[in-house]
Amino acid sequence: MSLNILNHQHHRPLPVGFYERDPDQVAVDLIGRMVVRRALGAIVVGRIVEVEAYFGEGDPASHACRGMTPRNAIMFGRAGMAYVYLNYGVHCLLNVVTGLEGRAGAVLIRALEPVSGIEIMKKNRPVKKSVDLTSGPGKLTKALGIDLADNEVDMTVPESRLYIANGTLETRTVKASPRIGISKGEDMLLRFYDEGSLFVSK
DNA sequence: TGTGTGATAGTCT
DNA sequence: GACTATCACACAT
């Protein structure tokens, strides 16, 4: 099963061009795609069911709203790179950089549905109910073993230990809502989620 | 708990 | 005066 996933056409990394758009467009299109994580020869896969889009200037909730800093510089860089940062000094959060170089943008991956490698996820993040495994941005990074070392990983090449792949063409209902856990810019509908999924964060 | 910001102190010229 | 270093604090996709 694991190796088939890698070989399958649908599980090659999404190309740079996919990410070279505005973050809200990329965000909508990421619902239903697969996050593929390879570590120590094992493979862990989760289907994206919730994301949030972040712009640069003009988006008060974005790390990049006040221009470039050492931490957020990657948001201005090439599309398709992973932007992983530490939140509350505790959780690592996974974003993918969008847009053309020089223009800040990113999509935060907020929730996944476990697809493959579930035993590894449970080992990384022991939980009582499996719905708690990946139903939040900090949970999913823990379950997939993603940390600061994955910052700036190129997610557009198959050699990477972390990338996003096409996924299946299931029908899904994508809904938009305000983003979660922000104190500014709540009026914008930049959170997107698969309405039917139990793994969408509360 | 790390980061960014603003305040303050220190240094150069 | 202008620039840089250090510090303390507020707050965090």
Side-chain angles (χ1 to χ4, degrees):
Chain A
M1 173 65 173
S2 296
L3 286 176
N4 286 340
I5 280 173
L6 270 185
N7 295 334
H8 198 281
Q9 174 94 7
H10 284 158
H11 291 87
R12 288 206 302 243
L14 293 167
V16 187
F18 178 90
Y19 298 107
E20 287 176 332
R21 296 178 288 159
D22 283 342
D24 52 339
Q25 295 177 31
V26 175
V28 173
D29 272 1
L30 278 176
I31 300 293
R33 311 279 180 177
M34 298 293 175
V35 173
V36 179
R37 169 62 164 173
R38 285 189 293 149
L40 305 167
I43 185 166
V44 184
V45 180
R47 179 174 166 273
I48 299 173
V49 295
E50 182 181 346
V51 295
E52 285 178 1
Y54 287 89
F55 289 82
E57 289 84 7
D59 181 355
S62 171
H63 281 172
C65 69
R66 276 184 260 215
M68 205 188 290
T69 67
R71 177 172 69 159
N72 70 21
I74 185 149
M75 283 184 71
F76 294 81
R78 215 181 82 237
M81 307 290 276
Y83 170 38
V84 182
Y85 74 94
L86 197 60
N87 194 32
Y88 295 97
V90 188
H91 320 287
C92 291
L93 268 53
L94 171 65
N95 297 249
V96 56
V97 175
T98 67
L100 296 175
E101 216 162 326
R103 206 181 145 83
V107 175
L108 168 68
I109 312 298
R110 283 194 55 90
L112 301 174
E113 264 178 31
V115 170
S116 179
I118 295 173
E119 289 313 309
I120 297 172
M121 294 191 213
K122 285 183 175 166
K123 209 167 144 193
N124 286 338
R125 179 179 155 74
V127 289
K128 293 196 196 88
K129 294 179 290 178
S130 66
V131 75
D132 286 333
L133 208 47
T134 52
S135 56
K139 299 177 187 178
L140 88 248
T141 53
K142 193 93 210 302
L144 299 207
I146 295 167
D147 60 23
L148 265 19
D150 296 296
N151 191 35
E152 301 192 53
V153 164
D154 184 351
M155 299 215 282
T156 64
V157 293
E159 302 79 47
S160 288
R161 56 184 185 271
L162 181 65
Y163 59 81
I164 302 173
N166 257 342
T168 53
L169 293 169
E170 290 173 43
T171 46
R172 54 186 198 271
T173 311
V174 180
K175 288 263 186 174
S177 81
R179 294 170 292 183
I180 291 178
I182 57 170
S183 51
K184 282 160 278 182
E186 303 99 317
D187 48 322
M188 290 184 274
L189 301 179
L190 291 175
R191 171 174 172 260
F192 305 96
Y193 60 99
D194 181 346
E195 194 187 24
S197 176
L198 297 169
F199 286 83
V200 170
S201 69
K202 315 298 152 331

